[in-house]
Amino acid sequence: MTPTTPEQALVELNAGNRRFVTGVPRHPNQDAGHRAAVADGQHPFAVIVGCSDSRLAAEIIFDRGLGDLFVVRTAGHTVGPEVLGSVEYAVTVLGTPLVLVLGHDSCGAVQAAREAVTTGRLPAGHLGALIDAVVPSLRRAAAQGVEEIDGIVDIHIAQTVEALLANSAVLASEVAAGRCAVVGMSYQLSAGQVRTVTTVPAGAVTLPPPAQPGRAARAAVGG
């Protein structure tokens, strides 16, 4: 059965990761019959906003198959308009109940950003934009006295979760309505195991009240 709630989705992901870690994957939904079944439509139960690292293949480490996960990957799981639009599509059009930010230890993007900040030398081309996207996490880590790379990665994962909710009113509304949750996890490259870094449960977001019209606006409508 496909999970329909954030809680069920998270349980299913953790169960799949345990199978992967212990070497007993089931490889569900990867057969020809399921391929044909999902050809006319998809109903993924989780959006994975993950790092592009080649060792971070979501369907493998969570032991899932076709149609299960809606995966969006960028180096350092940085968030831009295309990522936000993809997440919004999944949670509103496809009805996906869980958004998972997936980082990993020894993240190259975080290390590159720290080196660039330390040396003052930004890389050429569009890599500079990638570095800029990670810098706020480096600043937060510095303010908290965190220097170890994997501690900085955890902060960057939490920062990405916050950025998704802060920059997408659509996602924030879905979470506030109890239809979706957002979780941040870190993957251990050697052990293959994921651990939870931060969680924003369904219903945990409180939206601000709608703005009241000003005096001029009220006068214009006879108020």
Side-chain angles (χ1 to χ4, degrees):
M1 297 293 292
T2 300
T4 58
T5 69
E7 295 80 12
Q8 292 171 354
L10 191 56
V11 166
E12 193 65 33
L13 288 177
N14 281 319
N17 181 245
R18 284 194 296 271
R19 294 194 300 270
F20 171 67
V21 170
T22 56
V24 289
R26 294 204 316 254
H27 304 296
N29 299 333
Q30 297 183 23
D31 58 282
H34 187 73
R35 182 183 69 221
V38 299
D40 291 331
Q42 59 172 322
H43 302 282
F45 66 83
V47 184
I48 310 294
V49 179
C51 180
S52 297
D53 191 290
S54 61
R55 299 161 291 182
L56 206 67
E59 285 86 355
I60 294 176
I61 67 177
F62 289 115
D63 190 29
R64 298 309 311 179
L66 299 173
D68 291 333
L69 307 178
F70 192 89
V71 182
V72 186
R73 298 174 68 181
T74 62
H77 47 82
T78 52
V79 175
E82 296 83 1
V83 173
L84 293 171
S86 298
V87 171
E88 291 174 358
Y89 174 80
V91 299
T92 59
V93 178
L94 303 179
T96 308
L98 180 69
V99 177
L100 170 62
V101 174
L102 183 62
H104 64 94
D105 56 3
S106 305
C107 180
V110 173
Q111 295 186 63
R114 185 168 67 168
E115 180 178 354
V117 169
T118 300
T119 62
R121 295 192 298 270
L122 289 177
H126 294 291
L127 282 173
L130 172 64
I131 298 304
D132 289 342
V134 180
V135 165
S137 299
L138 297 178
R139 290 173 178 161
R140 178 178 290 192
Q144 296 178 13
V146 177
E147 298 181 355
E148 194 263 332
I149 186 64
D150 292 338
I152 299 175
V153 167
D154 282 359
I155 290 173
H156 184 48
I157 291 170
Q159 181 93 358
T160 303
V161 168
E162 293 177 16
L164 285 171
L165 291 166
N167 294 304
S168 173
V170 171
L171 176 59
S173 295
E174 291 295 305
V175 175
R179 292 186 289 266
C180 185
V182 186
V183 175
M185 285 186 171
S186 183
Y187 174 74
Q188 295 173 296
L189 293 172
S190 179
Q193 190 170 10
V194 296
R195 60 178 175 81
T196 299
V197 174
T198 185
T199 301
V200 182
V205 172
T206 302
L207 299 178
Q212 296 298 316
R215 180 179 301 175
R218 290 196 298 270
V221 296

